[in-house]
Amino acid sequence: MNNITIIGRLAQDPTVGKSKSNGEPVTLFNIASDSSIAGKTDFLHCMANYQTGKYVAQYGTRGMTIYAEGELTTDEYTNRDGVKFRAQLLWFAKSNS
C-alpha cells in the first residue's frame, strides 16, 4: 500500500491549474517539513484535486500548518533538450489544516 502522511507548513500560497490528462482542476502546493537531520528542511511538491484541492486552494496560505495524507507518485519526462528527468509528486486525496 502506497500511503504517506506529511505534517508541515505551506511553503507558498497554493495555485490552481488544470490536469494535463483530463483537464480537471488541480491544486498545486509545496509543503516544507523539517527533516530528522538537524537543520534540514524538505520541500515536497504536492497536488490535490476535487474537494481536497478546492479546500486547500480556498483556505491554504503560505506558512500555514498542514496535515495531509496521500500517495507518492513518480513521473518521468523528457525536456526540450532531450534530457530525461524523474520527478516525485505527492498526490493527496484528503487534507486537514
Side-chain angles (χ1 to χ4, degrees):
M1 179 180 215
N2 181 354
N3 190 23
I4 188 165
T5 302
I6 299 293
I7 299 173
R9 295 191 176 274
L10 289 176
Q12 62 194 36
D13 288 339
T15 59
V16 178
K18 290 194 177 192
S19 170
K20 292 180 183 177
S21 62
N22 61 13
E24 292 288 325
V26 294
T27 301
L28 304 171
F29 55 100
N30 292 320
I31 296 177
S33 181
D34 291 334
S35 174
S36 59
I37 300 170
K40 185 174 185 306
T41 301
D42 293 317
F43 291 89
L44 309 160
H45 303 291
C46 307
M47 182 185 306
N49 65 347
Y50 304 114
Q51 291 300 88
T52 301
K54 288 179 184 178
Y55 180 85
V56 173
Q58 184 175 358
Y59 298 108
T61 57
R62 182 176 184 222
M64 175 184 194
T65 300
I66 188 168
Y67 164 87
E69 296 178 10
E71 65 182 62
L72 179 65
T73 62
T74 302
D75 193 17
E76 293 182 357
Y77 63 94
T78 305
N79 70 7
R80 295 178 191 166
D81 299 327
V83 178
K84 290 186 179 186
F85 287 92
R86 177 177 267 183
Q88 291 184 331
L89 179 73
L90 304 179
W91 180 258
F92 292 107
K94 63 181 178 177
S95 155
N96 297 307
S97 58

